Amino acid sequence: MIASIEPSKKGMEADLKTLMKTMMEKKIVDALVLPVRQPDKISVMPSLIASPEEIDDAVFLSPCFYINAARMVSRLSFKKAGKKTAVWLRPCEISAFIELEKLNQASWEELIIMGMDCPMALERDAFQTYMKNGGAKENDWAARVFADPCNPDLAPARSCSVCTSPLPDHADLGFFFYANSGEKGLVIEGATPKGEEVLEKCALKEASLPGEREPMVAQLIKTREAAFESMAEKVTQETDSLDKLGQFFGACINCYNCCNVCPVCYCRECVFNTDVFSHEPIQYHQWADKWGKIKLPSDTLFYHLTRLAHMSHACVGCGQCTQACPANIPVATLFSTVAKQVQKAFDYHPGSDDPPPFSVFNAQEYPEVVGIQ
């Protein structure tokens, strides 16, 4: 079912806020998880809203993307709370949430997932500068993206510029912005029975997708696939040996920020946050005696390779690992490159209905490796 919001003179953000308030006032949902402007007047973070009045601080289409909200939503859903909650997520957040659900870290049961055509994001420093230089026109960013997402002048975060999954697939409600200025009303798809029920209760009129949307999306994905291949080729050349990997992660301080912000790193306790890698003093000296010198902190490469082995099949390419790195290492370029190869090898796409490849046994898989005739 496809419907639309009756447009107002206040713009799409205002129309979205009105819809969210309607959902709460009609008791369709008890709460909402929306991106909300923080007291610093710049940052936008996911927030759990229980009062319709608080929706006024929501910022739906900001180029701010400080955190992948999938893990926050998992905290609200892994056990029943008796509350029906609608959550606003970017496509990579939806995919990450689905991966967590497969691992029993989250549940869709009490949720209504609202997905959107992705407006992309700016790097964290770039967003701070953007806001300080007149970010009051924040919606101008989204308007430019949805009018021409391939515009080279946009300069979004690197991970956004190579993302080939910009659509709200698998959401209960899909909000379609590409090729839609909002003048004829924002188009919404009820993609599941839950989503259709929301549209019916909100009494939205039936609509159709803009004719320009499909060719625009096709060109966007084609452009980003080419950009990804270029990035992957470059990072592969930079990391195709242990020596080069050591150089790539040379500035790593073992802060584990990349793990802490990764939405699909699901271990309740990471082995690298235990005493396993708190070696005895003599151990460090023995290594130094053997090789002449060792980098401190140690185990840097082991940490990153272990993380790759754990989550490469589920990496959604959100780029939060790069954003969180205090040493400015482009972690996501390497991780998404390796992840794409792993996902291709197992014919697996994060956010799909398929079980994780490492959780099932396939007797016909890689016979040239396992030696089964």
Side-chain angles (χ1 to χ4, degrees):
M1 175 182 180
I2 297 178
S4 66
I5 299 176
E6 192 69 31
S8 70
K9 295 181 180 180
K10 297 180 180 179
M12 285 194 293
E13 285 260 350
D15 295 342
L16 283 167
K17 291 176 183 179
T18 298
L19 176 64
M20 301 299 155
K21 289 180 180 179
T22 299
M23 291 171 63
M24 294 196 76
E25 290 164 356
K26 290 191 173 185
K27 309 297 183 184
I28 299 171
V29 296
D30 300 302
L32 296 157
V33 174
L34 302 177
V36 171
R37 177 79 66 214
Q38 298 304 298
D40 66 358
K41 307 299 182 183
I42 293 179
S43 307
V44 177
M45 297 291 284
S47 301
L48 178 62
I49 296 175
S51 171
E53 293 75 20
E54 299 298 328
I55 294 172
D56 289 332
D57 291 328
V59 187
F60 295 90
L61 302 174
S62 172
C64 178
F65 187 33
Y66 281 2
I67 187 171
N68 186 308
R71 189 182 284 186
M72 302 301 104
V73 176
S74 75
R75 294 179 183 178
L76 297 173
S77 66
F78 76 97
K79 288 184 179 180
K80 285 188 177 181
K83 299 283 188 179
K84 181 69 73 175
T85 306
V87 300
W88 181 265
L89 299 177
R90 292 170 178 257
C92 60
E93 293 176 312
I94 297 174
S95 294
F97 175 81
I98 293 172
E99 291 303 303
L100 291 172
E101 186 185 30
K102 292 177 186 178
L103 297 164
N104 299 318
Q105 303 297 306
S107 171
W108 205 313
E109 186 174 349
E110 294 184 323
L111 300 179
I112 296 172
I113 291 187
M114 303 181 292
M116 59 172 167
D117 285 344
C118 189
M120 300 195 288
L122 292 169
E123 301 285 0
R124 188 166 301 192
D125 290 346
F127 174 73
Q128 295 272 341
T129 302
Y130 175 84
M131 290 298 290
K132 291 173 182 177
N133 292 340
K137 296 182 178 179
E138 210 166 353
N139 285 340
D140 287 355
W141 168 268
R144 291 169 63 204
V145 170
F146 296 135
D148 183 10
C150 295
N151 185 347
D153 294 332
L154 288 169
R158 183 62 181 274
S159 293
C160 293
S161 68
V162 298
C163 173
T164 56
S165 301
L167 307 181
D169 298 330
H170 308 293
D172 294 305
L173 289 169
F175 290 75
F176 299 144
F177 297 101
Y178 288 127
N180 184 359
S181 64
E183 294 177 359
K184 296 181 180 180
L186 178 59
V187 179
I188 311 170
E189 180 183 26
T192 67
K194 281 184 184 179
E196 290 182 351
E197 182 181 5
V198 172
L199 298 184
E200 290 170 358
K201 289 184 175 180
C202 290
L204 300 184
K205 65 178 183 179
E206 291 191 17
S208 59
L209 293 175
E212 304 89 346
R213 174 183 166 81
E214 187 173 339
M216 176 182 284
V217 169
Q219 181 59 47
L220 171 62
I221 292 176
K222 182 179 179 180
T223 300
R224 290 188 178 175
E225 284 176 342
F228 182 90
E229 291 303 320
S230 176
M231 178 199 76
E233 181 179 0
K234 182 174 184 292
V235 76
T236 298
Q237 292 174 352
E238 293 174 348
T239 59
D240 61 2
S241 70
L242 282 177
D243 285 342
K244 289 182 180 179
L245 268 176
Q247 294 174 28
F248 187 86
F249 289 114
C252 178
I253 60 173
N254 286 26
C255 67
Y256 306 144
N257 278 6
C258 53
C259 174
N260 292 330
V261 300
C262 178
V264 294
C265 268
Y266 60 89
C267 296
R268 291 293 180 179
E269 182 179 39
C270 178
V271 65
F272 289 95
N273 284 327
T274 67
D275 291 335
V276 170
F277 295 97
S278 296
H279 306 294
E280 294 292 327
I282 188 59
Q283 179 68 75
Y284 294 104
H285 286 282
Q286 288 174 346
W287 284 331
D289 288 341
K290 181 177 181 179
W291 291 304
K293 66 178 180 182
I294 60 168
K295 173 187 173 290
L296 297 175
S298 62
D299 302 311
T300 297
L301 277 185
F302 189 33
Y303 160 68
H304 288 289
L305 292 174
T306 299
R307 211 168 81 76
L308 266 173
H310 274 198
M311 49 65 64
S312 57
H313 70 284
C315 175
V316 297
C318 65
Q320 291 300 312
C321 47
T322 291
Q323 296 277 12
C325 181
N328 295 318
I329 300 171
V331 184
T333 60
L334 175 61
F335 273 59
S336 58
T337 295
V338 173
K340 190 76 77 173
Q341 295 172 15
V342 172
Q343 292 158 12
K344 182 179 180 180
F346 288 99
D347 191 22
Y348 183 77
H349 185 75
S352 68
D353 295 330
D354 299 327
F358 302 146
S359 68
V360 293
F361 173 73
N362 182 355
Q364 305 304 316
E365 194 169 69
Y366 291 109
E368 73 279 8
V369 176
V370 298
I372 297 176
Q373 301 299 321

